[in-house]
Amino acid sequence: MTEDASSPESAAPAATAGSDVPPDRLAINPRSPFFDVEKLRRGIGIRFKGTVRRNVEEYCISEGWVRVQAGKTMDRKGNPLTLKLSGPVEAWYEDLGDDAPVAKL
């Protein structure tokens, strides 16, 4: 029983450490395969080209791009029209405060 008790304890810190850094790619559109409501509820901060952005629809850190809405323009299916901007992307969980670990390339 001692071995079983130590296994979950050793697994818990690894899961906590991994959960402190946002995923490489995340989208706010529920139809996207990269949508994750639990991660979005925590609040994700995005810094794109050194500027904090609040209008990001989707991001990918490893590929270095963000998607932002192009005004109030909609496509033919009623979804917001987005622009893909390339550059360095950094992401962090806002619920962890000012010293949150930042995911960047």
Side-chain angles (χ1 to χ4, degrees), residues 25-83:
R25 188 168 178 180
L26 190 64
I28 64 170
N29 184 348
R31 288 177 259 156
S32 171
F34 301 103
F35 175 76
D36 189 344
V37 71
E38 294 303 318
K39 292 179 177 141
L40 290 171
R41 282 187 182 150
R42 292 186 66 182
I44 303 283
I46 301 292
R47 185 177 298 117
F48 178 69
K49 291 186 176 179
T51 305
V52 176
R53 304 284 303 247
R54 300 281 180 200
N55 61 344
V56 175
E57 298 277 324
E58 183 176 3
Y59 72 85
C60 183
I61 296 169
S62 63
E63 295 177 13
W65 57 263
V66 296
R67 285 196 182 277
V68 295
Q69 189 170 350
K72 296 184 180 189
T73 308
M74 301 292 215
D75 67 6
R76 64 181 181 219
K77 296 180 181 177
N79 299 319
L81 191 63
T82 59
L83 300 171

